[in-house]
Amino acid sequence: MTFVQLIECRTSRLDEMNRLMDDWLRRTRGRRTATHAVVGRDRSDASHVVEVVEFPSYEEARRNSDLPETERVFRELAALCEERPTFTGLDVVRDERPAERAVRRFFRALGTAGELPPLNDLLDEDVHSRDPMNPQDTIGLDHARAEFRMWRGAFDFAFTVEDVLAEGDRACARWSWRGTHRGDFLGIAPTGRQVAMTGMTLFRFAPDGKVTELWWQHDQLGLMQQLGALDELER
């Protein structure tokens, strides 16, 4: 169940608070579990500031709280407030953003440790996945899972979803990706290198809310360069 944390405080130092949160976002990239956050200031009382932070579940919120950077930023945030911040935890019982939620769940599932989740609650049985690295579309849930397992076998990785725009039956996500090259990838033996990539994915949803089409765009050339596959060409 989606979980929301409501944080309220009184401060006249909102600019400093924003800089503090930007630093926390930078330091926790790839490890934080919050999926969305909004900060608002009371129109009738400018010192009253409210932050709403969304998590996939209460358990993920606890994981986020256990990050050492989170404890540090709380102490620094409290120092900027006139009173001790208050926290309210809410289980979400209704959400009008199902497409965005599904997109974020999808990217979390791809990067989860251990066995790849079945994905049948997210992807249609006849899903079409279009990736410029592949000469042909990947058609069907089983083939899509095999494609994702290939990436997971080659890299330990995690996605950071930077933006999600949703309208009607479509959504577009801008993401960044970081990984370690642990296994064979397109004939390239494991290098142990730390690699990074950016990209965008367009989703189309079926009436039942499952993803029926995927279009991938990513920096394939940059990834191959980081893996050393272009070294001979560049000499």
Side-chain angles (χ1 to χ4, degrees):
M1 177 182 293
T2 304
F3 180 80
V4 169
Q5 192 171 64
L6 192 69
I7 308 169
E8 297 185 73
C9 70
R10 304 188 70 83
T11 183
S12 59
R13 304 164 70 180
L14 185 57
D15 289 343
E16 293 176 69
M17 185 179 293
N18 279 327
R19 286 193 292 270
L20 180 63
M21 295 308 299
D22 288 341
D23 181 61
W24 180 81
L25 289 171
R26 179 178 59 81
R27 291 175 181 273
T28 58
R29 181 183 293 272
R31 293 182 295 123
R32 62 181 180 270
T33 60
T35 57
H36 188 66
V38 174
V39 177
R41 183 164 55 189
D42 192 335
R43 289 180 64 91
S44 62
D45 181 356
S47 67
H48 181 205
V49 176
V50 180
E51 182 175 12
V52 182
V53 188
E54 179 184 297
F55 299 90
S57 66
Y58 172 73
E59 291 73 22
E60 292 295 322
R62 291 295 303 270
R63 282 184 53 208
N64 199 77
S65 297
D66 289 341
L67 294 174
E69 294 88 351
T70 302
E71 182 179 354
R72 180 184 64 81
V73 80
F74 172 72
R75 292 196 305 267
E76 296 182 18
L77 181 122
L80 298 175
C81 296
E82 300 163 9
E83 302 171 356
R84 185 176 177 83
T86 63
F87 293 79
T88 304
L90 304 170
D91 289 326
V92 175
V93 296
R94 178 167 175 159
D95 188 346
E96 298 299 331
R97 297 175 297 123
E100 179 178 347
R101 188 171 66 250
V103 167
R104 294 184 182 277
R105 285 180 57 209
F106 171 74
F107 284 110
R108 284 197 303 274
L110 291 190
T112 191
E115 191 69 24
L116 177 71
L119 302 175
N120 56 343
D121 60 333
L122 289 170
L123 303 183
D124 188 82
E125 283 290 336
D126 297 321
V127 64
H128 281 49
S129 181
R130 298 171 171 85
D131 188 325
M133 291 186 63
N134 299 329
Q136 296 182 329
D137 294 350
T138 300
I139 301 176
L141 180 55
D142 287 342
H143 291 124
R145 281 193 289 243
E147 180 77 10
F148 301 147
R149 288 192 183 101
M150 182 276 291
W151 281 90
R152 288 163 57 91
F155 301 94
D156 293 337
F157 65 81
F159 284 94
T160 298
V161 179
E162 308 289 356
D163 291 296
V164 179
L165 300 176
E167 183 175 353
D169 66 347
R170 295 176 189 255
C172 184
R174 181 177 67 88
W175 47 261
S176 56
W177 175 95
R178 293 180 181 275
T180 303
H181 186 206
R182 301 293 192 193
D184 182 84
F185 178 68
L186 301 179
I188 304 172
T191 63
R193 294 185 180 186
Q194 303 287 319
V195 292
M197 183 169 57
T198 58
M200 300 179 71
T201 307
L202 179 66
F203 297 76
R204 187 172 72 83
F205 293 89
D208 63 1
K210 293 184 180 181
V211 177
T212 189
E213 289 187 85
L214 292 157
W215 291 264
W216 298 85
Q217 292 293 333
H218 48 78
D219 184 13
Q220 176 186 354
L221 182 62
L223 176 61
M224 300 302 283
Q225 187 175 34
Q226 293 172 72
L227 293 174
L230 306 182
D231 289 353
E232 290 295 327
L233 297 176
E234 293 175 349
R235 290 194 179 98

